[in-house]
Amino acid sequence: MSDGIAGTTGNAAPQPAVRFDAVVKRYGTVTAVDSVSFDIAQGTLVTLLGPSGCGKTTTLRLIAGLEQATEGRILIGGKDVTQLSAAERDVSMVFQSYALFPHMNVMENVSYGLKAMGLKKAEVESRAAAKLALVGLSGYEKRQPSELSGGQQQRVAVARAIVLEPQVLLFDEPLSNLDAKLRRRVRDEIRGLQQELALTVVYVTHDQEEALAVSDRIVVMNAARVAQDGTPRELYSAPNSRFVADFMGDANLIDVAVRRHNGPVAEVEAGSLRLSLPHRDIPVGAAAIAVRPHAIMLSTEAGASGGIKGVVVKSAYLGDHVEYTVKTSNPQAELFATDAGVDTILSAGTKVFVSFDLDKLVLVS
Amino acid sequence: MTRPSPSESTFPARNVGAWLLAAWLGFLILPWYIVESGFLSFGWLTDFVAQGPAALHGFAGAPWLLPLFLPLLAATWLSVRRHTRGLAIAGGLALAWMAVEGLAIAHFGWGFSWLAALMGTKGPVQPGMGWGAIVYALSMLMLVAADLAGRGWCKGDRFVVGSLLLVIATLVIFVAYPLVSILSSAVRDNSGNFAPALLRQKLFDSNIWGLGCLAGGRHCGVAWNTLFVAVLVGLFSTALGLALALIALRTRIRAKWLLRGLSILPIITPPFVIGLALILLFGRAGMVTELLSHHFGIPRSRWIYGVAGITMAQVLAFTPIAFLVLVGVLQGVSPSMEEASQTLRASRWRTFRTVTWPLIRPGLASAFLISFIESMADFANPLVIGGNYNVLSTDIFFAVVGAAHDQGRAAVLAIVLLFFTLAAFLIQRQWIGKRSYVTVGGKGDGGVPAPLPGGLRVGAYGIAVPWLVLTVVVYAVILIGGFVHQIGRDNTPTLHYFLTAFSVEKGVGGWFLSGSAWPSLTMTVTLALISMPFTAAIGLLTAYLLDRQRFAGRTAFEFLAMMSFAIPGTVVGISYILAFNVPPIQMTGTGLIIIISFVFRNMPVAIRAGLANLGQIDKSLDEASLTLGARSFATLRRVILPLMKPAIVTAMIYSFVRAMTAVSAVIFLATGRFNLATVYIVGRADVGEYGVAIVYAAVMIVLMMIILVGIQLLVGERSLGRRREGAEAMPIGA
């Protein structure tokens, strides 16, 4: 469970590539990043995930030096860079819009950073050519950015960023300008390149599926703070809050009361529903359970495990699965469920019994 | 592969060292005061003691220069200890002391009369500042910048802080300080004594505010006269501009030529030319007057000299400006909104009334206020065609050049005029700017603009066509008028006027330019060419700072930079005379002061061109360059500047052409040696030599047209044409 989490491994942990130490960023009275701390281990891909306006892009720009922290410290490779400007930090960034210089061709774009460092011409060219080959764009050196497809433009942006061999590579929503089919491929390419070169990558996205697919670790942000920080698996199966549960894939949140703890389990009650679930240190009192859509089973007959009564309000056929909205009265809830069984589709108005796959229910505070 | 380590960059040794060296140079070697024989003649080297550096002057009669040694020493000590912190205090003290001693000790003694009273002596004297002072002050300013950047200002970027301080310093010296000089001169009597009571008397003088005309008297105060004409011109120009904009964008004509022609005309036409043409048409001996009196027996009169003439000339001159503002506004109204209205069963008329009109209303107010400001600021038309009808701008001029030579009165009139234009400018920016619904530069959506309702179309044509006809006639008169004996009366062609002005003769030493217009024309072209790159550079740098950097006081900075748009040329002229006639900065009578007035008068145009261009360059390009290790100066040079070519070209052309056609400010500053084309033409018209004046104006118009078209062909039609319309159509401060 803890693979990839920085600083938790016992063997002498190397310096984290990036360390945020209680970083605050304020614009006037607005706090965009509020006391955020995390470590990013070298050679891992960590995603900053959250809804728009949660502060994830500001966090990324704080790493890059494009914004200056109001309070707190930022360390890159163990060195305090809080006061340094973007040009002085050993960090490169791939922008959402790619930000390719329109008046330079592919080669000039990729060699821009090397020239800014003042390297010799021959070295600039050989290094730039090597990185262009790495992203599969050899032969495109003389093209203008406007003559490339969206996917190619992005590869140029990646080549331009990695040519400086930065300690940390930043991606700001790199897939948002690509069409749906290309997204999966580019996503896999980025992940492949990161693993091949053992790059440290910080990746910003608002798409939880994308985050789950590429990340070693995910930092979920909400309202300028870190909501949860963990592996994809931890976040999906053991969210620590209603927000994370809901944000990491749809979840039905049912208000419940925790009656008592009984060893490792808590006895939970909501209307006619009574369940025993791992208590996860959630105290007796009001709480909620997060129910994934695929953990809900609908049946027209009362099964052995009983279940609560409900009525199908809506059903939608989506090819490989069916989506249902079911209303239950006790506890009163409107549940969103998916069912892979497309042979029998329950129509609206059908009375059903709702039961849950207990292994997939999570108690959250 | 590692980038320069931060420890190397904490103390900018090379930067600070270079500026320190320059400061020492300015203090120890360069002549501190103006060298009469000219700096570049290097005569000061032979007479080093008398015309030498501050260090020598300090021990020879100018001990007030010695304190400037201390900040220099302190800064050097700090840099030896590799500290930037503290440089701001040293530099700030040095600059503050320079301002104090410079203003307190003038070339005629104490700079303030209370100082003379206090000391009881005439006081010491000193001439204006020279190269030593300039280099010393600039170096100190840059040392301040190094300190502030070290404290994290503008993300710790020395280049940005340095340019910001430099632009602010030049704005303070060449925009704010002259205005303050007006104020200070308004509170003194003509012998320079402090007399606040006199200000009250002058400010509320009946010549300015009198309402005699309402009570049947002959004259109203000059302030009311000016206001009256400005309101009339604002209303007419806006109405005409709207009619033309509607015709250009919302009828089948969609005339490209109309758009293009109207966007070029006001730029290339020297402002008084229209007044001149109106005199030739409607004056006592004018073409139309002649015709009417000959055929219909309508008696000749002088009706054109006065409100009617000024208003007509200004409406003709400023309608294109209102038109360009309104075209921009009308283009910003998304056709899909009008389509939405029509799909909701609204008729064309109802759509116009309930959707289009409310959306363009703020734009109409903008167009009105801009025409209003232009009319108030216009100097040449009232001068040429105003007759006995006085307006503020001409009164200011006559207060200075006339027999009265009352600088105090000129200053008071300038304050009144400035009050009006700045008020209009503030309303335009603060109130209307925030009410604008029109999205500028937003995503264009599809859709075809709704055609105009029938009645409105007829109305638009009804007012626009006569205006267009009159414009064509006016320009025809200008272009032809100089090549006939006396247009209207004696239409036999002649080259007499042309040859008087532009003849080239062969003399003993070969060919030479013997025409009377050549000296002023070559001088104008020279000064305009020199001012061109500086205007573009400082304007675009300001635009870059405004668009790309965040710093405290940004709004105030923007206001100061754009304000010079609202300062009428006559006010600039009088303020430059008042401020730069005496030390510490003594420039009157030089070509430099004309160049500087060109630069700061035309700077807002370059700023607007720059802002429009920068708005189209994604900020992530700068950021990408920064994260790739290029600092802001390298980013500016290698990424932003190459992408700003359209703005650079626009700013250069505009500053050149506007410098060529400017008259109101430079009429105060031009001298016999530094005579200018426009001033020369006004002079000819003033003494009734219309032939030469008209021929010269025609040559200027043609010359400017050739330059514009030539550059357009050179740079490429598309990028330039698009940019120019965009830049000009933008309302002030947008």
Side-chain angles (χ1 to χ4, degrees), chain B residues 99-143:
Chain B
V100 168
E101 59 90 7
L103 292 172
I105 302 166
H107 71 147
F108 50 80
W110 293 115
F112 302 106
S113 48
W114 56 265
L115 261 179
L118 193 70
M119 299 299 185
T121 57
K122 185 166 166 284
V125 297
Q126 65 176 343
M129 291 178 183
W131 278 104
I134 294 170
V135 169
Y136 178 86
L138 180 66
S139 312
M140 283 301 172
L141 196 66
M142 290 304 123
L143 292 178

CSV table of all heavy atoms in Angstrom, one decimal, chain B residues 99-143:
chain,number,residue,atom,x,y,z
B,99,ALA,N,17.6,67.0,-6.4
B,99,ALA,CA,16.4,67.8,-6.6
B,99,ALA,C,16.3,69.0,-5.8
B,99,ALA,O,16.0,70.1,-6.2
B,99,ALA,CB,15.1,66.9,-6.3
B,100,VAL,N,16.7,68.9,-4.5
B,100,VAL,CA,16.7,70.0,-3.6
B,100,VAL,C,17.6,71.1,-4.0
B,100,VAL,O,17.2,72.3,-4.2
B,100,VAL,CB,17.0,69.6,-2.1
B,100,VAL,CG1,17.2,70.8,-1.2
B,100,VAL,CG2,15.9,68.7,-1.6
B,101,GLU,N,18.9,70.8,-4.2
B,101,GLU,CA,19.9,71.8,-4.6
B,101,GLU,C,19.5,72.4,-6.0
B,101,GLU,O,19.7,73.6,-6.2
B,101,GLU,CB,21.3,71.3,-4.5
B,101,GLU,CG,21.7,70.1,-5.3
B,101,GLU,CD,22.2,70.5,-6.7
B,101,GLU,OE1,22.4,71.7,-6.9
B,101,GLU,OE2,22.5,69.6,-7.5
B,102,GLY,N,19.1,71.5,-6.9
B,102,GLY,CA,18.8,72.0,-8.2
B,102,GLY,C,17.7,73.0,-8.2
B,102,GLY,O,17.7,74.0,-9.0
B,103,LEU,N,16.6,72.7,-7.4
B,103,LEU,CA,15.5,73.7,-7.4
B,103,LEU,C,15.7,74.9,-6.6
B,103,LEU,O,15.2,76.0,-6.8
B,103,LEU,CB,14.2,72.9,-6.9
B,103,LEU,CG,13.7,71.8,-7.9
B,103,LEU,CD1,12.6,71.0,-7.2
B,103,LEU,CD2,13.2,72.5,-9.2
B,104,ALA,N,16.6,74.7,-5.5
B,104,ALA,CA,16.8,75.8,-4.6
B,104,ALA,C,17.7,76.9,-5.2
B,104,ALA,O,17.6,78.1,-4.9
B,104,ALA,CB,17.3,75.3,-3.3
B,105,ILE,N,18.7,76.4,-6.0
B,105,ILE,CA,19.7,77.3,-6.5
B,105,ILE,C,19.6,77.4,-8.0
B,105,ILE,O,19.9,76.5,-8.7
B,105,ILE,CB,21.1,76.9,-6.1
B,105,ILE,CG1,21.1,76.8,-4.6
B,105,ILE,CG2,22.1,77.8,-6.6
B,105,ILE,CD1,22.3,76.1,-4.0
B,106,ALA,N,19.0,78.5,-8.5
B,106,ALA,CA,18.8,78.6,-9.9
B,106,ALA,C,19.9,79.5,-10.5
B,106,ALA,O,20.8,80.0,-9.8
B,106,ALA,CB,17.4,79.2,-10.2
B,107,HIS,N,19.8,79.8,-11.8
B,107,HIS,CA,20.9,80.6,-12.4
B,107,HIS,C,20.8,82.1,-12.1
B,107,HIS,O,21.7,82.8,-12.4
B,107,HIS,CB,20.9,80.4,-13.9
B,107,HIS,CG,19.8,81.0,-14.6
B,107,HIS,ND1,19.9,81.5,-15.9
B,107,HIS,CD2,18.5,81.2,-14.3
B,107,HIS,CE1,18.7,82.0,-16.3
B,107,HIS,NE2,17.9,81.8,-15.3
B,108,PHE,N,19.7,82.5,-11.5
B,108,PHE,CA,19.6,83.9,-11.1
B,108,PHE,C,19.6,84.0,-9.5
B,108,PHE,O,19.3,85.1,-9.0
B,108,PHE,CB,18.3,84.5,-11.6
B,108,PHE,CG,17.1,83.7,-11.3
B,108,PHE,CD1,16.5,83.8,-10.1
B,108,PHE,CD2,16.5,82.9,-12.3
B,108,PHE,CE1,15.3,83.0,-9.8
B,108,PHE,CE2,15.4,82.1,-12.0
B,108,PHE,CZ,14.8,82.2,-10.8
B,109,GLY,N,20.0,83.0,-8.8
B,109,GLY,CA,20.1,83.1,-7.4
B,109,GLY,C,19.1,82.0,-6.8
B,109,GLY,O,18.9,81.0,-7.4
B,110,TRP,N,18.7,82.4,-5.6
B,110,TRP,CA,17.8,81.4,-4.9
B,110,TRP,C,16.6,81.0,-5.8
B,110,TRP,O,15.9,81.9,-6.3
B,110,TRP,CB,17.3,81.9,-3.6
B,110,TRP,CG,18.4,82.1,-2.5
B,110,TRP,CD1,18.8,83.3,-2.0
B,110,TRP,CD2,19.2,81.1,-2.0
B,110,TRP,NE1,19.8,83.1,-1.1
B,110,TRP,CE2,20.1,81.7,-1.1
B,110,TRP,CE3,19.2,79.7,-2.1
B,110,TRP,CZ2,21.0,81.0,-0.3
B,110,TRP,CZ3,20.1,79.0,-1.3
B,110,TRP,CH2,21.0,79.6,-0.5
B,111,GLY,N,16.3,79.8,-5.9
B,111,GLY,CA,15.1,79.3,-6.7
B,111,GLY,C,13.8,79.7,-6.1
B,111,GLY,O,12.8,79.7,-6.8
B,112,PHE,N,13.7,79.9,-4.8
B,112,PHE,CA,12.5,80.2,-4.1
B,112,PHE,C,12.6,81.6,-3.5
B,112,PHE,O,13.6,81.9,-2.8
B,112,PHE,CB,12.1,79.2,-3.0
B,112,PHE,CG,12.0,77.8,-3.6
B,112,PHE,CD1,13.1,76.8,-3.4
B,112,PHE,CD2,11.0,77.4,-4.4
B,112,PHE,CE1,13.0,75.6,-3.9
B,112,PHE,CE2,10.9,76.1,-4.9
B,112,PHE,CZ,11.9,75.2,-4.6
B,113,SER,N,11.5,82.4,-3.6
B,113,SER,CA,11.7,83.7,-3.1
B,113,SER,C,11.7,83.7,-1.6
B,113,SER,O,12.4,84.6,-1.0
B,113,SER,CB,10.5,84.6,-3.6
B,113,SER,OG,9.3,83.9,-3.4
B,114,TRP,N,11.1,82.8,-0.9
B,114,TRP,CA,11.2,82.8,0.5
B,114,TRP,C,12.6,82.5,1.0
B,114,TRP,O,13.1,82.9,2.1
B,114,TRP,CB,10.2,81.8,1.2
B,114,TRP,CG,10.4,80.3,0.7
B,114,TRP,CD1,9.7,79.7,-0.3
B,114,TRP,CD2,11.2,79.3,1.2
B,114,TRP,NE1,10.1,78.4,-0.4
B,114,TRP,CE2,11.0,78.2,0.5
B,114,TRP,CE3,12.2,79.3,2.2
B,114,TRP,CZ2,11.7,77.0,0.7
B,114,TRP,CZ3,12.9,78.1,2.5
B,114,TRP,CH2,12.7,77.0,1.7
B,115,LEU,N,13.4,81.7,0.2
B,115,LEU,CA,14.8,81.5,0.5
B,115,LEU,C,15.6,82.8,0.5
B,115,LEU,O,16.4,83.1,1.3
B,115,LEU,CB,15.4,80.5,-0.5
B,115,LEU,CG,15.5,79.0,0.0
B,115,LEU,CD1,16.1,78.2,-1.1
B,115,LEU,CD2,16.3,78.9,1.3
B,116,ALA,N,15.3,83.6,-0.6
B,116,ALA,CA,16.0,84.9,-0.7
B,116,ALA,C,15.6,85.8,0.4
B,116,ALA,O,16.5,86.4,1.0
B,116,ALA,CB,15.6,85.5,-2.1
B,117,ALA,N,14.3,85.7,0.8
B,117,ALA,CA,13.9,86.6,1.9
B,117,ALA,C,14.6,86.1,3.2
B,117,ALA,O,15.0,86.9,4.0
B,117,ALA,CB,12.4,86.5,2.1
B,118,LEU,N,14.7,84.8,3.4
B,118,LEU,CA,15.3,84.3,4.5
B,118,LEU,C,16.8,84.6,4.6
B,118,LEU,O,17.3,85.0,5.7
B,118,LEU,CB,15.1,82.7,4.5
B,118,LEU,CG,15.4,82.0,5.8
B,118,LEU,CD1,14.3,82.3,6.9
B,118,LEU,CD2,15.5,80.5,5.6
B,119,MET,N,17.5,84.5,3.5
B,119,MET,CA,18.9,84.7,3.5
B,119,MET,C,19.3,86.1,3.3
B,119,MET,O,20.4,86.6,3.7
B,119,MET,CB,19.6,83.9,2.3
B,119,MET,CG,19.3,82.4,2.4
B,119,MET,SD,20.1,81.8,3.9
B,119,MET,CE,19.8,80.0,3.7
B,120,GLY,N,18.4,86.9,2.7
B,120,GLY,CA,18.6,88.3,2.6
B,120,GLY,C,19.6,88.6,1.5
B,120,GLY,O,20.1,89.7,1.3
B,121,THR,N,20.0,87.6,0.7
B,121,THR,CA,20.9,87.8,-0.4
B,121,THR,C,20.3,87.3,-1.7
B,121,THR,O,19.2,86.6,-1.7
B,121,THR,CB,22.2,87.0,-0.2
B,121,THR,OG1,21.9,85.6,-0.1
B,121,THR,CG2,23.0,87.5,1.0
B,122,LYS,N,20.9,87.6,-2.8
B,122,LYS,CA,20.4,87.1,-4.1
B,122,LYS,C,20.7,85.6,-4.2
B,122,LYS,O,20.0,84.9,-4.8
B,122,LYS,CB,21.1,87.9,-5.2
B,122,LYS,CG,20.6,87.6,-6.6
B,122,LYS,CD,21.2,88.6,-7.5
B,122,LYS,CE,21.0,88.1,-9.0
B,122,LYS,NZ,22.0,87.2,-9.4
B,123,GLY,N,21.7,85.2,-3.5
B,123,GLY,CA,22.0,83.8,-3.4
B,123,GLY,C,23.0,83.4,-4.5
B,123,GLY,O,23.3,84.1,-5.5
B,124,PRO,N,23.5,82.2,-4.4
B,124,PRO,CA,24.4,81.6,-5.3
B,124,PRO,C,23.7,81.3,-6.6
B,124,PRO,O,22.5,81.2,-6.7
B,124,PRO,CB,25.0,80.4,-4.7
B,124,PRO,CG,23.9,80.0,-3.7
B,124,PRO,CD,23.2,81.2,-3.3
B,125,VAL,N,24.5,81.1,-7.7
B,125,VAL,CA,23.9,80.7,-9.0
B,125,VAL,C,24.5,79.4,-9.5
B,125,VAL,O,25.6,79.1,-9.1
B,125,VAL,CB,24.1,81.9,-10.0
B,125,VAL,CG1,23.4,83.1,-9.6
B,125,VAL,CG2,25.6,82.1,-10.2
B,126,GLN,N,23.7,78.8,-10.3
B,126,GLN,CA,24.3,77.6,-11.0
B,126,GLN,C,23.5,77.4,-12.3
B,126,GLN,O,22.3,77.7,-12.4
B,126,GLN,CB,24.3,76.3,-10.2
B,126,GLN,CG,22.9,75.8,-9.9
B,126,GLN,CD,22.9,74.5,-9.1
B,126,GLN,OE1,24.0,73.8,-9.1
B,126,GLN,NE2,21.8,74.1,-8.5
B,127,PRO,N,24.2,77.0,-13.4
B,127,PRO,CA,23.6,76.7,-14.7
B,127,PRO,C,22.8,75.4,-14.6
B,127,PRO,O,22.7,74.7,-13.6
B,127,PRO,CB,24.7,76.7,-15.7
B,127,PRO,CG,26.0,76.5,-14.9
B,127,PRO,CD,25.7,76.8,-13.4
B,128,GLY,N,22.2,75.0,-15.8
B,128,GLY,CA,21.5,73.8,-15.9
B,128,GLY,C,22.4,72.6,-15.8
B,128,GLY,O,23.6,72.6,-16.0
B,129,MET,N,21.7,71.4,-15.5
B,129,MET,CA,22.5,70.2,-15.4
B,129,MET,C,23.0,69.7,-16.7
B,129,MET,O,22.4,69.8,-17.7
B,129,MET,CB,21.6,69.1,-14.7
B,129,MET,CG,21.3,69.4,-13.3
B,129,MET,SD,20.3,68.1,-12.6
B,129,MET,CE,20.0,68.7,-11.0
B,130,GLY,N,24.2,69.1,-16.6
B,130,GLY,CA,24.8,68.6,-17.9
B,130,GLY,C,25.0,67.1,-17.8
B,130,GLY,O,24.3,66.4,-17.0
B,131,TRP,N,25.9,66.6,-18.6
B,131,TRP,CA,26.1,65.1,-18.7
B,131,TRP,C,26.5,64.5,-17.4
B,131,TRP,O,26.1,63.4,-17.1
B,131,TRP,CB,27.1,64.8,-19.8
B,131,TRP,CG,26.4,64.8,-21.1
B,131,TRP,CD1,26.5,65.8,-22.1
B,131,TRP,CD2,25.5,63.9,-21.7
B,131,TRP,NE1,25.7,65.5,-23.1
B,131,TRP,CE2,25.1,64.3,-22.9
B,131,TRP,CE3,25.0,62.7,-21.2
B,131,TRP,CZ2,24.2,63.6,-23.7
B,131,TRP,CZ3,24.1,62.0,-22.0
B,131,TRP,CH2,23.7,62.4,-23.2
B,132,GLY,N,27.3,65.1,-16.6
B,132,GLY,CA,27.8,64.5,-15.4
B,132,GLY,C,26.6,64.3,-14.5
B,132,GLY,O,26.5,63.2,-13.9
B,133,ALA,N,25.7,65.3,-14.4
B,133,ALA,CA,24.6,65.1,-13.5
B,133,ALA,C,23.6,64.0,-14.0
B,133,ALA,O,23.1,63.2,-13.2
B,133,ALA,CB,23.8,66.5,-13.5
B,134,ILE,N,23.5,64.0,-15.3
B,134,ILE,CA,22.6,62.9,-15.9
B,134,ILE,C,23.1,61.5,-15.6
B,134,ILE,O,22.4,60.7,-15.1
B,134,ILE,CB,22.4,63.2,-17.4
B,134,ILE,CG1,21.7,64.5,-17.7
B,134,ILE,CG2,21.7,62.0,-18.0
B,134,ILE,CD1,21.7,64.9,-19.1
B,135,VAL,N,24.4,61.3,-15.9
B,135,VAL,CA,25.0,60.0,-15.7
B,135,VAL,C,24.9,59.7,-14.2
B,135,VAL,O,24.6,58.5,-13.8
B,135,VAL,CB,26.4,60.0,-16.2
B,135,VAL,CG1,27.1,58.7,-15.8
B,135,VAL,CG2,26.4,60.1,-17.7
B,136,TYR,N,25.3,60.6,-13.3
B,136,TYR,CA,25.3,60.4,-11.9
B,136,TYR,C,23.9,60.0,-11.4
B,136,TYR,O,23.7,59.0,-10.7
B,136,TYR,CB,25.7,61.7,-11.2
B,136,TYR,CG,25.7,61.6,-9.7
B,136,TYR,CD1,26.8,61.1,-9.0
B,136,TYR,CD2,24.6,62.0,-8.9
B,136,TYR,CE1,26.8,61.0,-7.6
B,136,TYR,CE2,24.6,62.0,-7.5
B,136,TYR,CZ,25.7,61.5,-6.9
B,136,TYR,OH,25.7,61.4,-5.5
B,137,ALA,N,22.8,60.8,-11.8
B,137,ALA,CA,21.5,60.5,-11.4
B,137,ALA,C,21.0,59.1,-11.9
B,137,ALA,O,20.4,58.3,-11.2
B,137,ALA,CB,20.5,61.6,-11.9
B,138,LEU,N,21.3,58.8,-13.2
B,138,LEU,CA,20.8,57.6,-13.7
B,138,LEU,C,21.5,56.4,-13.0
B,138,LEU,O,20.8,55.4,-12.6
B,138,LEU,CB,21.2,57.5,-15.2
B,138,LEU,CG,20.8,56.2,-15.9
B,138,LEU,CD1,19.3,56.1,-16.0
B,138,LEU,CD2,21.4,56.1,-17.3
B,139,SER,N,22.8,56.5,-12.7
B,139,SER,CA,23.5,55.4,-12.0
B,139,SER,C,22.9,55.2,-10.6
B,139,SER,O,22.7,54.1,-10.1
B,139,SER,CB,24.9,55.8,-11.8
B,139,SER,OG,25.5,56.2,-13.1
B,140,MET,N,22.6,56.3,-9.9
B,140,MET,CA,22.0,56.2,-8.6
B,140,MET,C,20.6,55.6,-8.6
B,140,MET,O,20.3,54.7,-7.8
B,140,MET,CB,21.9,57.6,-8.0
B,140,MET,CG,23.2,58.2,-7.5
B,140,MET,SD,23.9,57.1,-6.2
B,140,MET,CE,25.5,57.8,-5.9
B,141,LEU,N,19.9,55.9,-9.7
B,141,LEU,CA,18.5,55.3,-9.9
B,141,LEU,C,18.7,53.8,-10.0
B,141,LEU,O,17.9,53.0,-9.4
B,141,LEU,CB,17.9,55.9,-11.1
B,141,LEU,CG,16.4,55.7,-11.2
B,141,LEU,CD1,15.6,56.4,-10.1
B,141,LEU,CD2,15.9,56.2,-12.5
B,142,MET,N,19.7,53.4,-10.8
B,142,MET,CA,19.9,51.9,-11.0
B,142,MET,C,20.4,51.2,-9.8
B,142,MET,O,20.1,50.0,-9.6
B,142,MET,CB,20.8,51.7,-12.2
B,142,MET,CG,20.2,52.1,-13.5
B,142,MET,SD,18.6,51.3,-13.9
B,142,MET,CE,17.5,52.6,-14.1
B,143,LEU,N,21.2,51.9,-9.0
B,143,LEU,CA,21.6,51.3,-7.7
B,143,LEU,C,20.4,51.1,-6.8
B,143,LEU,O,20.3,50.1,-6.1
B,143,LEU,CB,22.6,52.2,-7.0
B,143,LEU,CG,24.0,52.2,-7.8
B,143,LEU,CD1,24.9,53.2,-7.0
B,143,LEU,CD2,24.6,50.9,-7.9
